[in-house]
Amino acid sequence: MTQFRPLARLLPAAIFALVAAGSLAAQAQHAHVHGEAFADVAVDGGTVEIVLRATAYDLVGFERAASSPEEEAKLLNARRLLLDHSQLWRFSVGSQCVAQGPVVEVPGSAAAHDHNHNHNHSEDKSAHADWTARYRFVCANPEALRNVDAGAFDAFPSLEKVTVQLLDSDGARALTLFPASRRLAVRP
């Protein structure tokens, strides 16, 4: 049995790689749709990885460069809300899941320029922009992890649904969350 220990240590990275690959495939398959966000969720024991993609329109109300101090404030507020992982993702009581530094990628920001050296600055004014937020949680008591509630509907009221690709100990499956049914049942 101990010969499989090194493989077990690689499992979280393998699951995240699968979710990231699925995320790229999903981006290619899904059209830019207002009112709908996409989430890839991988659960492996006490580790939960979540990648959330949503349109800038649903997060800030526009999809171009900010043109006023009010719009700049909306951008900053959306970024703040996405980084507030405890409001966006609520875990089963007792699972003691703690975030390990969420990351938000915004098209046209310095981070986006680092990943796309051929970025055309004129695109910022008219392109349909999607924001991506990546979260990693470590749960001290994974036996208590049974569900994750999506608080994104409260933070971003224009969201009508979140299409989820879930990978956990039960395998892979697709689900859709709505404001009235926002609970994602998971198995560590």
Side-chain angles (χ1 to χ4, degrees):
M1 270 316 226
T2 58
Q3 64 185 346
F4 295 106
R5 277 265 192 241
L7 182 59
R9 288 186 197 136
L10 295 175
L11 190 57
I15 286 176
F16 183 72
L18 285 172
V19 169
S23 173
L24 292 174
Q27 280 182 320
Q29 290 174 347
H30 297 292
H32 179 88
V33 179
H34 294 181
E36 181 176 13
F38 298 91
D40 298 318
V41 180
V43 180
D44 180 37
T47 302
V48 179
E49 304 266 359
I50 301 172
V51 177
L52 177 70
R53 290 175 318 284
T55 68
Y57 182 82
D58 288 314
L59 302 178
V60 297
F62 54 90
E63 293 181 322
R64 57 178 163 62
S67 61
S68 69
E70 293 80 18
E71 288 183 348
E72 285 289 337
K74 287 181 179 182
L75 288 171
L76 291 173
N77 187 53
R79 183 182 294 272
R80 181 187 58 77
L81 290 169
L82 284 172
L83 291 173
D84 190 357
H85 52 78
S86 64
Q87 293 302 309
L88 289 182
W89 310 107
R90 297 179 198 116
F91 296 87
S92 306
V93 175
S95 61
Q96 300 172 2
C97 298
V98 177
Q100 304 293 305
V103 174
V104 176
E105 298 170 10
V106 179
S109 70
H113 291 290
D114 291 344
H115 298 298
N116 184 1
H117 299 289
N118 297 320
H119 182 75
N120 179 349
H121 293 276
S122 65
E123 291 176 11
D124 288 344
K125 294 186 180 169
S126 62
H128 291 277
D130 290 340
W131 288 27
T132 301
R134 300 176 192 284
Y135 306 89
R136 179 184 178 103
F137 299 90
V138 176
C139 305
N141 187 14
E143 298 80 27
L145 181 60
R146 294 291 171 246
N147 55 62
V148 180
D149 290 337
F153 297 108
D154 297 326
F156 304 104
S158 67
L159 286 178
E160 298 169 9
K161 68 179 178 177
V162 176
T163 300
V164 178
Q165 292 182 39
L166 173 64
L167 181 62
D168 63 8
S169 64
D170 281 348
R173 57 194 179 280
L175 308 144
T176 303
L177 303 176
F178 298 96
S181 62
R182 56 181 69 196
R183 178 160 286 177
L184 181 63
V186 298
R187 298 247 188 255

